[in-house]
Amino acid sequence: MYTSGKYSSRGPALIPRMKTKHRIYYITLFSVVLLGLIATGMFQFWPHSIESTADWTLDKRSVHDAPLIRLPVSSPIPERGDLSCRMHTCFDVYRCGYNPKNRIKVYIYPLQRFVDELGVPISSTGLSREYNDLLSAISDSDFYTDDVTRACLFIPSIDVLNQNSLRIRETAQALAMLPRWDKGMNHLLFNMLPGGPPDYNTALDVPRDRALLAGGGFSTWTYRQGYDVSIPVYSPLSADVDLPERQPGPRHYFILSSQTAIHREYRAELERLKEENGEALLLLDKCSNLSQGAASARKRCYKGQVYDYPQILQESSFCVVLRGARLGQAALSDVLQAGCVPVILADSYILPFSEVLDWKRASVVIPEEKLSEMYTILKSIPHRQVEEMQRQARWFWEAYFSSMKAIGLTTLQIINDRIYPYAARTYEQWNNPPVVVCNCLHLTLTCILQMFNGLCVCACVCLASLWL
């Protein structure tokens, strides 16, 4: 009885005490977690300081205010370009040095206007909107530095994106006059439309010594593997036409061809495939009954029926991308944006960013000689795989093709990975779309509001910060 009485007198007193202890413990634990989540959110969204506030933009550096540089006729001309160049032979990696962030520093030369002795500019277009967007994006990035002595990579403010607008000799002379040129060592040039009629070479014809080239039309003969970077040919429609993402799955057409001015032999073969497979294949061409201009560029026709371009691309599972006068085609970007699986028939073409992107996951590459077998080859691909390729194609466009900023920063990241291989992105980071688990700060604040109503029973595990 004594034992029982002792238990009954102390037992009830212990229970409230234990509840209070547990309550304090859980409140303390929740408070620590809450403060941690808030701190994580503040770190993610708080504006970080950057190295320099000197941006490269036309707003601050007007073309008309840029100093005028006259090129004497006797100015030196760089060598044609060393096809044997590799990172260990033509690039000074020691200039990049070691830094805790494992990030190269990029310097953009001040804007200048180069003219010959008669005052004629070296370019008929000056600085294009696309090149300005590219340089502005780089100047806003963590790669940029305005301290030339800290730079690992140098980018001229001379626009060579479109070779058609350049005077080849004078542009080469202007490059050679750059203060840090040094035979092109550690310099990077961006070009999307190389060559010109009648040959249409697959690399920029401007002599450039040892400079790296980010080119949009490389073939296996002109691409210096591990040195140059193959980039997309930017499509202006990316900025002008909004194509909402479409869910993967079967489309109205199985194969669609929308390119204009393709070789007559390819056109004849596509016509034959059309006759054999009927409505499964839609073969479009330029509209002959529309006046030339921007409006006609966004239209395609088949037997008098007009289709909106690039919207029509979303109505097909596969879209043909054939070589034209140049290997690189802006049509590839349009097809990816539409979530249509590109069927690439361009022998020897180096696909954009192929150094890091697994194109087998987003496209079908067929030798040109097997164009007649295209329908049979594509029919053998399982439906589920086609859907995965449609999804991957759209993500490739969003991540790497959608803007000049995406193209420029991807190029720099590839070069960065070569110089700091121990900190390089993995295959998964390059090729797998990121998965956002939750927005910690948003969920935490929501949880705080609900807590006062006694409704907060949530917990957030944030993995998004792992991507930073």
Side-chain angles (χ1 to χ4, degrees), residues 103-120:
R103 186 178 293 118
I104 60 174
K105 287 301 177 184
V106 180
Y107 176 79
I108 301 174
Y109 280 97
L111 187 62
Q112 296 175 321
R113 292 182 295 155
F114 290 93
V115 298
D116 62 16
E117 288 188 334
L118 299 177
V120 180

Side-chain angles (χ1 to χ4, degrees), residues 180-245:
R180 301 267 173 166
W181 181 247
D182 187 22
K183 295 289 184 181
M185 186 80 74
N186 290 49
H187 282 67
L188 173 64
L189 305 177
F190 286 88
N191 168 254
M192 289 184 177
L193 299 178
D199 298 327
Y200 288 102
N201 292 331
T202 57
L204 181 67
D205 288 330
V206 175
R208 54 188 182 279
D209 284 328
R210 299 179 175 180
L212 289 87
L213 181 61
F218 282 122
S219 73
T220 52
W221 298 99
T222 55
Y223 178 65
R224 297 173 291 184
Q225 188 171 8
Y227 193 67
D228 293 324
V229 181
S230 182
I231 63 174
V233 178
Y234 177 70
S235 173
L237 293 179
S238 297
D240 297 337
V241 178
D242 181 25
L243 287 183
E245 184 174 1

Side-chain angles (χ1 to χ4, degrees), residues 3 28 56 65-66 106 196 245 257 300 309 315 334 336 362 422 427 437 465:
T3 303
T28 303
W56 200 107
D65 297 333
V106 180
E245 184 174 1
S257 173
R300 296 290 187 273
Y309 181 88
E315 301 301 323
D334 296 336
L336 293 174
Y422 52 86
Y427 170 90
V437 176
S465 61

